[in-house]
Amino acid sequence: MKSNSNILGLTMATALLAGCSAGQVAVRPDTTANIHTVALITVSEPQAYVAQDFGNPGMMFGAVGGAVAGASSANAGKNLDQIVSEAGFAAGDRLTRSLQQQLAAAGYEVKLISVPRDNGGKLLKSYDAVDAAGADAILDVAIESIGYATEHPMFSPHWRPAAQVHVALVDSRTGSKLYGEKFMYGYHNPLMSGTDLEAPETYHFESKELLFSDRVRLVDGMQDSVAAVTGQIAQKLKK
């Protein structure tokens, strides 16, 4: 039974690595030079703001401890979702507006478009049906997860803002991917490939109680996660 679990774990880790690295495409300078108008798809709001307690001590004590850690994450997630909603923070809207402003500042003409999708946490599988008339490229951004997380019971147990965001720049005529990247802000996992962005220690909290007692700093940390990701995207697409 133990060997089967090890095999399953290895299989899952291998699949995770393969899936995370598959979408990475470096942008070429000559590519951005030929793009003048970008059709930016409005970013979908996450279904919920999550609190992942990977650093819960229970994670070190098998299935029972894992269940305790899972319950901790679920309860923290409900509190986080309520606080963020009451503060009026909307990650998708902030990402959209920030990208629109930064791309315009970089010299692009930006055209906002809305596209229905089955899963707002994933990039579109095809751009054939996207109406990007007049645009040279389509920019698609998807929030896989956003909220707060701990990393490790011993080495990194504190809470910090965490976000996983996928981005793809696609040629509007051919549908070919010109740029693709996954950003991992705050929470890092050696089994997951992507571009790691550090969360400033200003937004680190030693405990769940401290996290939820400082609502202003909590929301500020999430705003920083959006700013960090959009700043990186704008830098990569700089002419």
Side-chain angles (χ1 to χ4, degrees), residues 49-51 72-85 212:
Y49 294 94
V50 298
S72 173
S73 293
N75 291 332
K78 291 179 181 178
N79 290 337
L80 179 63
D81 200 49
Q82 180 179 350
I83 291 171
V84 171
S85 297
F212 294 135

Side-chain angles (χ1 to χ4, degrees), residues 23-180:
Q24 304 292 322
V25 177
V27 65
R28 293 165 46 185
D30 60 317
T31 297
T32 55
N34 293 320
I35 297 175
H36 307 290
T37 303
V38 175
L40 171 61
I41 301 175
T42 53
V43 184
S44 299
E45 298 298 338
Q47 290 187 345
Y49 294 94
V50 298
Q52 303 287 1
D53 197 4
F54 299 114
N56 189 295
M59 296 295 286
M60 303 175 66
F61 299 100
V64 174
V68 172
S72 173
S73 293
N75 291 332
K78 291 179 181 178
N79 290 337
L80 179 63
D81 200 49
Q82 180 179 350
I83 291 171
V84 171
S85 297
E86 290 176 354
F89 176 83
D93 180 62
R94 279 189 172 272
L95 270 165
T96 301
R97 288 189 289 111
S98 180
L99 281 172
Q100 184 180 20
Q101 294 168 1
Q102 294 196 54
L103 291 175
Y108 294 99
E109 181 178 342
V110 183
K111 174 184 177 182
L112 279 182
I113 59 175
S114 297
V115 178
R117 62 177 80 211
D118 297 328
N119 187 340
K122 293 184 178 181
L123 298 172
L124 293 174
K125 294 181 180 179
S126 172
Y127 299 89
D128 293 342
V130 175
D131 182 7
D136 303 303
I138 301 166
L139 184 61
D140 187 13
V141 179
I143 303 172
E144 180 179 335
S145 65
I146 185 168
Y148 271 78
T150 58
E151 278 188 359
H152 191 279
M154 293 178 61
F155 307 117
S156 188
H158 49 272
W159 290 87
R160 83 295 310 276
Q164 295 186 49
V165 179
H166 298 267
V167 57
L169 183 71
V170 179
D171 189 304
S172 61
R173 293 173 293 276
T174 66
S176 61
K177 185 179 288 188
L178 306 173
Y179 162 62

